[in-house]
Structures are given as C-alpha cells and as structure tokens.
Amino acid sequence: MTSGSDNNGNSNGGSKKRPLVAILSGAGISTDSGIPDYRGPNGVWRRDPEAEKLVTYAYYMSDPEIRRRSWLMRRDGPALRARPNAAHEAVVRLERAGVPVRVITQNVDGLHQLAGMPERKVLELHGTARAVQCTRCKERSSMEAALERVAAGDPDPACETCGGILKSATVMFGEGLDPAVLGEAVAVTKACDVFIAVGTSLQVHPAASLAGLAADHGARLVIVNAEPTPYDDRADELVREPIGTALPALLERIAAG
C-alpha cells in the first residue's frame, strides 16, 4: 500500500490507499449454496463423465437429444434456486467497507450479484446461466422464460425471433471466452494489490493463468482451496480450511488493514 493519496490519487495528508483486491472465484465458493463443483472429489464430472457432453458446444449443436437433456438439467439443477452463502456475503461486506474489490468469477450462477455485489464489479468469465442466447441471431432472453416453455411441453425451445438453436448464455466447452470480459479481467489482475483465488482448481485456462499473472505483477497471491493447485508454489498464503469460514475471516483481516 502507498500513503499520501486516496483511491483516486488525490493527496489526503498521509492516510493509506486501500489495496485493490481481485477475487477469482470458482465452483468451490458455491458448494455451500448446494451447487456441486465439477472437478472435486465428488464433482459432477467424476460422478457422471457423460454429463460433460451436455455443456460441450459441438455435442449440443449437433445432437437434439443432448439439447433435450441439457434443458432438463437446467430445469432440475440447483443453480437457479440457489441462494448466496457466507462466502459470497463476505465479499459484499468487504466492498461495502470501502475496499476496492473486483470479482472475476468462473461461475455462471450469479450468486455474487444476488448477494449484493454491483454488476459492474463482477466479471463473469464463463457467462451466466440466468439467460439464454440464440446461436444464430445472438438475441438474449431470460432462462426463466425458456424453462417455462420446456415446462409447457417444448423439449428443445427454439429462438422465437429467428428459429435458431437456443443455449444458455454460458461459455460451453469448445467455445472461446468473450475477449472484452477477458481483457478486463487481465487488466484488473495486473493492477491489483491482492489476488485471492477461492474455490478454484486453477486448472481451466485462461482463467487459471490469472493467478500467475497477478504474482508476476507483484500482487500478494492467496489461494483458498481444499485441494492442491498448480499455482500453490507461487502463493504467499495457502488456506485449506472450509471456504464458508476461511474466506470471511480472511476478508475481515483485509478490511481491517
């Protein structure tokens, strides 16, 4: 931290600038909300490897049966009914305490925003499960409306504007990340003073590489995750305790300076 200026660079008579905190959140931050992770010991892919096809673009676009199963997965899955947990709420408290916070999330559940984080301070690398998008005309609409059509008997609802194939507004396997969102995430990572990777295996790129990028640019790297990650040797601090208690304690420490 530096002294003599506020967060806008203005002189303030020697008070300390608050550190910019970047939080990269993965599936592990949402498990306490009832959303299973993917690669953990009890993850979705380990229990049902075939489930990965439901979120793989090539399978989804070429196979109507995969699409029908995908819509049922969205209808029956926990993501849209989940509520924020103590970890999401702790991030919001840090932001409201006046600490500059930016969330970079690999999750598509929208729980950071539901907890109260301003939309502009959350970068959703993998999109959102709370909206659908046409693969042809790119028009967006709500997931809720699409699932109402599924409940009414349409197993594979098409775009009502152009008839194209609808998919969730998430980045499926085989799709590229939005370059604008990724570019902003990289800028935040390079600028931050503290980078916290929480609930992520740091195995999915390019998101995982942000941890190393932060360390390369002088940020304090903290990894909060039950399992080892490829970036543990770069971390200034490793936390293995449960996220629901460990992250609030860590963020309270940061808020206190």
Side-chain angles (χ1 to χ4, degrees):
M1 295 189 294
T2 59
S3 62
S5 64
D6 62 18
N7 288 326
N8 296 314
N10 300 316
S11 175
N12 57 18
S15 65
K16 290 184 177 180
K17 174 187 173 184
R18 307 303 294 271
L20 172 60
V21 179
I23 298 174
L24 174 66
S25 65
I29 199 174
S30 294
T31 54
D32 282 353
S33 294
I35 302 175
D37 66 10
Y38 296 106
R39 290 177 172 79
N42 298 307
V44 173
W45 304 152
R46 294 199 185 190
R47 286 187 285 107
D48 181 11
E50 284 291 302
E52 192 167 337
K53 291 183 178 180
L54 305 184
V55 290
T56 298
Y57 188 78
Y59 285 114
Y60 186 87
M61 294 299 292
S62 63
D63 189 340
E65 178 58 26
I66 289 288
R67 290 200 298 275
R68 286 191 286 269
R69 289 172 56 198
S70 295
W71 286 110
L72 295 178
M73 176 186 70
R74 296 178 191 121
R75 183 196 69 185
D76 300 334
L80 299 181
R81 294 186 294 275
R83 303 302 303 169
N85 62 53
H88 300 105
E89 292 163 357
V91 176
V92 175
R93 285 197 299 274
L94 182 67
E95 191 269 337
R96 291 178 179 172
V99 176
V101 180
R102 295 295 183 274
V103 173
I104 304 166
T105 187
Q106 296 172 274
N107 298 337
V108 298
D109 53 40
L111 293 182
H112 284 293
Q113 296 94 316
L114 281 180
M117 275 299 289
E119 290 274 353
R120 65 183 181 84
K121 294 187 177 183
V122 180
L123 296 170
E124 295 178 307
L125 290 177
H126 297 155
T128 177
R130 296 182 180 273
V132 297
Q133 183 170 356
C134 176
T135 57
R136 182 189 296 165
C137 73
K138 307 305 179 185
E139 181 173 300
R140 281 198 177 203
S141 53
S142 76
M143 176 62 75
E144 183 179 9
L147 291 180
E148 286 175 357
R149 293 170 62 190
V150 173
D154 187 346
D156 183 16
C159 175
E160 294 184 306
T161 298
C162 75
I165 294 173
L166 286 183
K167 64 178 285 292
S168 63
T170 56
V171 179
M172 289 183 166
F173 290 114
E175 290 189 286
L177 271 59
D178 183 325
V181 175
L182 180 59
E184 192 172 347
V186 167
V188 167
T189 298
K190 289 180 176 180
C192 72
D193 301 288
V194 180
F195 187 96
I196 302 171
V198 54
T200 170
S201 64
L202 294 178
Q203 293 180 21
V204 178
H205 292 272
S209 63
L210 296 175
L213 183 65
D216 289 342
H217 282 76
R220 178 175 178 79
L221 176 60
V222 183
I223 297 176
V224 185
N225 199 60
E227 302 292 320
T229 81
Y231 291 87
D232 285 1
D233 62 343
R234 303 290 308 276
D236 296 285
E237 184 176 353
L238 290 173
V239 181
R240 298 293 189 218
E241 286 76 22
I243 291 169
T245 53
L247 187 65
L250 172 65
L251 299 187
E252 285 172 14
R253 219 167 71 213
I254 291 173

